[in-house]
Amino acid sequence: MAGPSDFERATTKEVRMSAALPNEPTFRESVDLMYNRAVALMDLPPGLEEKIRVCNATYTVRFGVRLRGQIQTFVGYRSVHSEHMEPVKGGIRFASAVNQDEVEALAALMTYKCALVEAPFGGSKGGLCIDPRQYDEHEMEMITRRFAYELSKRDLIHPAQNVPAPDMGTGEREMAWIADQYARMNTTDINARACVTGKPLNAGGIAGRVEATGRGVQYALREFFRHEEDKAAAGLTGTLDGKRVIVQGLGNVGYHAAKFLQNEDGAIITGIIEHDGALFSPDGLDVEAVREWIVKHGGVSGYPAANHVSDGATVMEEDCDILIPAALEGVINLSNADRIKANLIIEAANGPVTAGADDILREKGVVIIPDMYANAGGVTVSYFEWVKNLSHIRFGRMQRRQEEARHELVLTELERLDEAMGDKWNLDARFKDRYLRGADELELVRSGLDDTMRIAYQSMREVWHNRDDVTDLRTAAYIVAIDKVAKSYRAKGL
Ligand code: GLU
């Protein structure tokens, strides 16, 4: 897929929702509060505790682009939180309300996220203050290339030092421009394609990157539902089949998560919240049809097959089993946390629950699968893409046919034995087809992502269940991640 439908859309209304949080710490302070909560239960030397928490550097750039006959100035950021591993990694966000506090919070989350899922990167994040809907494609290309030029010349885009990716307001198209801009500036760099991930397939991308974050949310939920003890903590039983799910934000992440949960796990999507209101239907919404409507009409208003609720945020407070905030930070905050009825919240967005709301929800017994784990599918598949770019070969190219040949050998032998025994087995034709087929890149990517999500979940739940002083998955996630970062620093002699 290409074009605006790939985007995590950042609308001015959503931006207002996240900014209007009186009496609450900023996003970065909120991340620090959560970090401090975990660190208080660890045994780190105070100096290291601070070293890991603080953001190493944030670069601010103001550049001009001549558009429609006059120069327009844009403000952009690239923040590097921790370089305990290089390159550092994290998306670039295009939204009107991007600011230094936000990119620093997001960069910190990238550090912890990469550590938790064992993607060998430090944490970084970028942002450009822009409403992409105000510009046409050619203008967006000029602005993006100029921003990429400013970052590249300071090695803030670089295959070995800093590798951006898509985030809210950006997608494959922007990543292709960034990759090309870097290649133009570094004509002899054989690894130029590895300077950014989330590229289209024809520009060095990898199969399954667009769906990756949503797919990761699905794999995370599947893993959660494999553990009786964990389901019991959330007051849930059974499987995902028939569970009522509300999704806030049907951008790239929310759409893929909702679609996969509906089509492959039998979940019922009862609510979809967008910037112009929400759709609610206890019998379930057709995710694909709603998405098509949004792409065509710019929002959910007017969608014929469900009730439209103009104050969309109130739908987050409806009764449901699973709530998936998949848009902006701070949407569950002190003003609405006590009215949330979901048993389980899975944070597909970064920072959707403020530190204050987290306290309230924990008290209420709501289980939260935290952002640094829940949305790590994106960076995990980015890692695979980066490795693919550095190895200059598509995954599966060497093994696929060899794998098929070996499977063929087994099947031929089984059939020979069956014949010798008088045709008793009658092998199913569908099994034969499926068994014979060697894995292509998409299958390998999904398998690697599934494995990553399972292992990371198990590392969190072990801390959650085995330590009396840890009562929630977020603190457990921070402890696992911080411990890994601390070990890297120690190995460096710090
Ligand atoms: N922007 C995504 C995130 O927040 C992806 C980052 C990446 O792939 O580097 O995790």
Side-chain angles (χ1 to χ4, degrees):
M1 273 196 305
S5 57
D6 285 355
F7 293 177
E8 283 302 280
R9 276 157 294 103
T11 69
T12 40
K13 175 128 184 249
E14 281 167 337
V15 165
R16 253 183 270 128
M17 260 158 66
S18 81
L21 302 174
N23 312 321
E24 293 214 54
T26 67
F27 185 13
R28 191 184 52 74
E29 287 163 351
S30 201
V31 170
D32 284 353
L33 281 169
M34 291 167 177
Y35 173 92
N36 290 342
R37 219 174 147 255
V39 139
L41 306 175
M42 300 175 74
D43 196 18
L44 292 184
L48 187 55
E49 211 179 284
E50 191 190 349
K51 174 68 206 84
I52 297 175
R53 180 178 46 76
V54 297
C55 185
N56 287 5
T58 301
Y59 173 68
T60 307
V61 59
R62 298 178 186 84
F63 58 91
V65 182
R66 179 170 285 279
L67 298 167
R68 303 171 203 178
Q70 66 184 54
I71 294 177
Q72 278 191 40
T73 302
F74 295 89
V75 183
Y77 306 91
R78 185 78 181 160
S79 176
V80 175
H81 174 261
S82 174
E83 291 147 291
H84 68 288
M85 283 200 188
E86 284 180 310
V88 292
K89 188 96 191 70
I92 291 184
R93 174 172 290 201
F94 284 2
S96 332
V98 160
N99 59 70
Q100 182 169 345
D101 184 278
E102 182 188 41
V103 288
E104 289 186 356
L106 292 164
L109 283 173
M110 285 308 304
T111 295
Y112 310 134
K113 190 186 305 191
C114 290
L116 183 66
V117 296
E118 298 189 331
F121 304 124
S124 183
K125 201 81 173 199
L128 184 67
C129 303
I130 188 172
D131 177 357
R133 289 171 309 175
Q134 305 306 319
Y135 301 92
D136 66 26
E137 182 158 6
H138 176 63
E139 290 169 332
M140 282 310 295
E141 178 171 352
M142 287 204 296
I143 299 163
T144 306
R145 281 185 181 276
R146 183 60 205 270
F147 187 33
Y149 168 81
E150 295 294 336
L151 297 182
S152 295
K153 76 175 184 196
R154 290 167 182 87
D155 291 338
L156 289 165
I157 297 176
H158 190 286
Q161 292 193 36
N162 198 323
V163 182
D167 198 78
M168 204 172 282
T170 56
E172 289 187 331
R173 185 181 71 165
E174 287 72 16
M175 300 307 117
W177 291 332
I178 292 173
D180 186 63
Q181 186 63 35
Y182 177 87
R184 285 186 192 187
M185 295 166 69
N186 299 273
T187 48
T188 56
D189 184 348
I190 195 172
N191 292 321
R193 281 187 153 180
C195 76
V196 65
T197 58
K199 303 176 291 292
L201 256 185
N202 60 17
I206 194 167
R209 176 61 185 86
V210 174
E211 66 167 43
T213 314
R215 184 63 81 184
V217 171
Q218 176 197 32
Y219 289 162
L221 280 172
R222 283 184 178 174
E223 182 58 19
F224 178 88
F225 273 82
R226 284 191 192 102
H227 302 279
E228 291 303 326
E229 209 181 343
D230 304 8
K231 279 187 285 183
L236 294 169
T237 52
T239 64
L240 278 163
D241 193 25
K243 292 288 177 296
R244 295 158 308 146
V245 177
I246 294 176
V247 186
Q248 187 256 344
L250 208 68
N252 182 37
V253 180
Y255 160 66
H256 282 106
K259 180 170 94 169
F260 297 145
L261 290 169
Q262 178 171 72
N263 296 351
E264 298 171 16
D265 298 292
I268 304 168
I269 311 298
T270 55
I272 292 176
I273 302 156
E274 264 292 322
H275 64 96
D276 64 336
L279 301 174
F280 188 73
S281 165
D283 299 331
L285 298 156
D286 178 341
V287 174
E288 201 58 58
V290 175
R291 172 75 168 185
E292 268 168 38
W293 183 270
I294 296 172
V295 169
K296 215 159 157 192
H297 300 90
V300 288
S301 300
Y303 179 74
N307 281 340
H308 180 265
V309 182
S310 49
D311 187 2
T314 58
V315 170
M316 277 195 292
E317 299 160 20
E318 289 290 342
D319 200 17
C320 67
D321 299 305
I322 305 168
L323 174 61
I324 311 184
L328 266 183
E329 57 265 16
V331 292
I332 302 173
N333 48 55
L334 288 179
S335 75
N336 61 359
D338 59 346
R339 292 195 302 275
I340 298 288
K341 295 188 196 72
N343 298 53
L344 177 64
I345 298 177
I346 177 157
E347 297 181 329
N350 286 308
V353 176
T354 63
D358 195 54
D359 290 340
I360 296 173
L361 293 166
R362 229 179 309 115
E363 290 266 296
K364 279 170 54 139
V366 177
V367 172
I368 302 179
I369 304 181
D371 47 7
M372 80 172 74
Y373 165 71
N375 66 40
V379 77
T380 300
V381 176
S382 276
Y383 168 39
F384 302 154
E385 180 177 333
W386 180 71
V387 170
K388 174 187 181 182
N389 294 152
L390 293 178
S391 58
H392 300 266
I393 189 164
R394 150 171 66 76
F395 287 106
R397 184 162 175 179
M398 304 292 275
Q399 309 91 325
R400 186 174 180 188
R401 304 302 166 191
Q402 191 258 1
E403 194 187 332
E404 289 182 359
R406 291 182 78 86
H407 286 178
E408 179 95 58
L409 218 62
V410 174
L411 275 189
T412 313
E413 185 58 11
L414 274 180
E415 277 168 345
R416 192 189 64 76
L417 287 174
D418 188 29
E419 215 176 289
M421 287 166 54
D423 272 337
K424 281 197 207 128
W425 289 351
N426 199 10
L427 283 180
D428 182 53
R430 270 194 25 237
F431 160 76
K432 278 207 259 181
D433 277 356
R434 286 176 57 192
Y435 185 67
L436 274 179
R437 209 164 34 86
D440 61 11
E441 185 170 80
L442 182 59
E443 272 173 86
L444 291 169
V445 162
R446 286 181 181 159
S447 142
L449 176 59
D450 192 8
D451 186 57
T452 304
M453 297 308 289
R454 290 187 199 213
I455 290 179
Y457 185 80
Q458 286 159 22
S459 67
M460 286 189 309
R461 78 179 292 278
E462 210 168 284
V463 174
W464 181 28
H465 293 304
N466 292 350
R467 284 184 60 156
D468 293 339
D469 53 355
V470 177
T471 53
D472 65 306
L473 274 168
R474 191 189 311 280
T475 306
Y478 269 96
I479 289 178
V480 174
I482 295 166
D483 188 49
K484 289 193 169 142
V485 178
K487 285 195 173 110
S488 298
Y489 273 118
R490 279 204 205 104
K492 282 172 173 249
L494 253 182

